[in-house]
Amino acid sequence: MLKHIKFNKRSLIRWKVYIDRARMYIGYLQFFMIGFVFFESFREESIGELIFNHLYLSIPILFLAFIFLSLIIGYIDSKMGFREEELRNSSYSNPMFREIYENLQEVKMELQQLKEKEQFRKPH
């Protein structure tokens, strides 16, 4: 049966990208579910009663607190340079990026050689 199914590499990669993107959104949903379970564990406590008795007020406050904390963590992450280093490592393993980088290095070297020849030709 699998003999008749032809696997197109590009289609498989595209499907993988779709699955990865869906996984990201599922991760958001899981995060909010874990948050709900966390707050649910406080239901019998005074803070839990305050949260669950005033959901119309506590949900927007918790959502804004989540956004604020996410922005702070993202800002710290950016300032520390983790994202740039992650992208650098990821890009280096990308064959197209390596090819572009090698071509750019060749162009730089040729430009440097042309500049040196031009300086050699100029009378002092």
Side-chain angles (χ1 to χ4, degrees), residues 99-111:
E99 184 179 336
I100 291 169
Y101 179 77
E102 290 167 2
N103 289 339
L104 183 61
Q105 293 303 321
E106 288 175 15
V107 168
K108 281 182 174 181
M109 198 163 56
E110 289 174 9
L111 183 61

Side-chain angles (χ1 to χ4, degrees), residues 52-99:
F52 285 100
N53 288 340
H54 304 286
L55 282 176
Y56 61 90
L57 188 59
S58 60
I59 288 177
I61 290 172
L62 291 172
F63 183 73
L64 290 174
F66 166 75
I67 297 295
F68 182 71
L69 289 173
S70 297
L71 289 173
I72 289 174
I73 291 170
Y75 176 78
I76 291 170
D77 181 65
S78 293
K79 286 298 179 185
M80 293 179 78
F82 290 140
R83 178 75 174 148
E84 288 82 7
E85 191 60 33
E86 180 184 333
L87 287 173
R88 186 182 343 272
N89 288 333
S90 176
S91 296
Y92 186 73
S93 65
N94 182 341
M96 288 185 70
F97 175 78
R98 277 197 309 247
E99 184 179 336

Side-chain angles (χ1 to χ4, degrees), residues 25-41 52 66:
Y25 292 114
I26 291 169
Y28 291 146
L29 179 64
Q30 286 176 331
F31 176 79
F32 286 113
M33 289 172 58
I34 289 170
F36 178 76
V37 169
F38 174 75
F39 288 116
E40 183 71 29
S41 68
F52 285 100
F66 166 75

